[in-house]
Amino acid sequence: MDRPVSSAFVGIFLGLSVPLASASAQDPFWLHPYNFFGEETALTASVNLGDLDGDGDLDGFAVNGRHWIQQDEVFLNNGLGFFRSARNAGPDRATGYEAALADLDGDGDLDAAIARDLLPVLLLFNDGAGHFSEARELGPVAQARSIAAADLDGDGDLDLVLVQRGEANRYFLNDGHGRFGVDIELPGAWQTIQVAIGDVDGDDRADLIFSNRGGEGVVLYRGLTEGGFAEPTLLGGELDMEIRAIELGDVTGDDHPDIIAGGMGAESLIFVNDGDGGFAQIERFGAEADIVFGLALADFNQDGMTDIAVANGGVRNRVYLRDGDGFVALEVGDEASDSYNLSVGDLNADGRPDIVYAVSEGSNYTLINRIDPD
């Protein structure tokens, strides 16, 4: 049964530097009282966006718990960009980190594959109306931290890549009906936290990029034309920095996907694609004060250039607007929150990408983009 999302906590936030009472079209990213959702006690690790109930707007799938046992939730968009009703998703004893929302069984709606700590992956299948009643488990018990869906073998259905901290990362091949009979370990074991997937070298094969804790840097697995993946390549050599967040996208404007790696107490990195999938050139951006747990890319000011939003832990979240060869930084959102991840999408159908921040030990919130096009 759906339940209303409470706004009783709104008064707590009246001291924010983005004042709720005076929010206006001049605020680049608007924080409204109804933008907060989820329990303040929830240890939310991620909120992924997708049209879960088939009504044409973007809903939120919140994965809660991390190392602790909590309930995952679906938050339904009311069509105006606010998550005003919620329902439980999956079992009430989960230790989730992230969900990949994808049509796993080919029936036209978005299902969920959830990476869980010290539990197998949980597959939840959507009935088309945003109810996730059928559940299956997949893979081993591991320290899973992230999961992503992509067509890895070129057969037209969506496969899964599972990130396992301290163990070999692995992928599962889909038979097209949501069954994953092929389970393959990738060579090497890393302190991996996130994965980005895309074709970095133009050979029409999916490549995998992993971010690793403990100074282990960024690792690239190139997809092979005959199937499978090449041996891993460590990008940038020995990077003496903590990297958890990773994204893939063209931020240099040359139509080649670059690799963006978030810094933890250090500037973040852009591994610039040379057009052939080489990444010898590294650019830096951001602030040394950033503690980047998540990255998201979008053209927030609609100027034709890709911007970068970061989810910071313990310090203010930021949006970096591309400006020529550099960036203009905007501090955004709730200055008191401990953000763990973020997602981007047009929540209110105005053509502008909005931001959803997942907050661990606090209420999640959305920022409505009000930047006028240049």
Side-chain angles (χ1 to χ4, degrees):
M1 179 180 295
D2 294 353
R3 58 186 183 275
V5 174
S6 171
S7 298
F9 51 79
V10 168
I12 298 173
F13 299 97
L14 291 179
L16 296 179
S17 61
V18 181
L20 302 181
S22 61
S24 70
Q26 281 69 50
D27 297 321
F29 291 93
W30 188 34
L31 190 61
H32 182 279
Y34 280 178
N35 290 34
F36 293 93
F37 64 98
E39 297 297 326
E40 291 187 286
T41 56
L43 297 169
T44 305
S46 61
V47 179
N48 297 89
L49 297 177
D51 183 7
L52 301 178
D53 56 2
D55 65 353
D57 53 39
L58 294 176
D59 309 302
F61 194 108
V63 179
N64 299 321
R66 294 165 45 213
H67 310 297
W68 296 272
I69 295 171
Q70 290 190 342
Q71 173 74 60
D72 297 332
E73 299 170 285
V74 168
F75 291 91
L76 300 177
N77 192 333
N78 67 357
L80 301 175
F82 302 122
F83 298 133
R84 302 307 301 145
S85 60
R87 61 181 61 150
N88 293 344
D92 61 0
R93 297 181 64 80
T95 53
Y97 268 86
E98 188 171 24
L101 301 181
D103 183 8
L104 300 177
D105 53 7
D107 65 354
D109 54 41
L110 292 177
D111 308 303
I114 304 173
R116 304 184 295 173
D117 187 40
L118 300 179
L119 289 171
V121 172
L122 181 66
L123 303 179
L124 296 176
F125 292 92
N126 193 343
D127 66 358
H131 299 96
F132 294 86
S133 55
E134 182 186 354
R136 304 177 204 160
E137 290 188 338
L138 174 68
V141 172
Q143 294 185 79
R145 291 296 181 266
S146 183
I147 193 166
D151 184 4
L152 302 180
D153 53 3
D155 64 354
D157 55 41
L158 294 174
D159 310 302
L160 295 171
V161 178
L162 179 65
V163 167
Q164 300 182 141
R165 180 184 173 188
E167 304 173 59
N169 299 309
R170 62 200 318 124
Y171 62 95
F172 306 92
L173 297 181
N174 193 344
D175 68 356
H177 302 285
R179 293 184 290 268
F180 296 85
V182 179
D183 174 0
I184 300 175
E185 283 190 354
L186 290 163
W190 316 85
Q191 296 292 325
T192 309
I193 301 299
Q194 291 185 12
V195 62
I197 306 176
D199 180 9
V200 301
D201 48 14
D203 64 354
D204 296 322
R205 302 292 301 187
D207 306 306
L208 310 178
I209 306 97
F210 294 98
S211 59
N212 303 303
R213 290 186 61 172
E216 292 182 349
V218 176
V219 176
L220 168 64
Y221 290 79
R222 298 183 188 275
L224 301 173
T225 55
E226 64 270 23
F229 295 89
E231 290 293 313
T233 301
L234 183 64
L235 299 182
E238 297 292 333
L239 295 172
D240 186 21
M241 61 183 294
E242 182 91 353
I243 297 174
R244 298 195 185 196
I246 199 81
E247 262 293 349
L248 185 67
D250 177 19
V251 295
T252 54
D254 60 2
D255 296 324
H256 303 298
D258 309 301
I259 297 170
I260 302 92
M264 304 283 289
E267 291 179 304
S268 295
L269 306 178
I270 299 171
F271 295 86
V272 179
N273 193 331
D274 64 8
D276 295 315
F279 296 94
Q281 180 183 347
I282 300 176
E283 297 180 359
R284 296 179 181 270
F285 76 96
E288 291 187 0
D290 283 343
I291 310 292
V292 181
F293 280 85
L295 292 162
L297 308 181
D299 183 3
F300 291 108
N301 57 357
Q302 301 176 73
D303 64 353
M305 294 184 286
T306 301
D307 310 308
I308 304 172
V310 304
N312 275 327
V315 298
R316 194 78 175 272
N317 293 317
R318 291 185 174 93
V319 172
Y320 293 98
L321 301 178
R322 191 72 181 185
D323 182 25
D325 293 331
F327 292 89
V328 175
L330 301 177
E331 291 190 333
V332 299
D334 176 7
E335 64 184 8
S337 69
D338 193 4
S339 298
Y340 211 84
N341 215 325
L342 77 167
S343 296
V344 168
D346 183 5
L347 297 175
N348 57 354
D350 67 352
R352 290 176 282 203
D354 309 303
I355 306 174
V356 179
Y357 279 104
V359 178
S360 192
E361 296 186 274
S363 294
N364 310 307
Y365 63 89
T366 65
L367 293 179
I368 301 300
N369 185 352
R370 294 196 166 188
I371 302 176
D372 290 326
D374 290 344

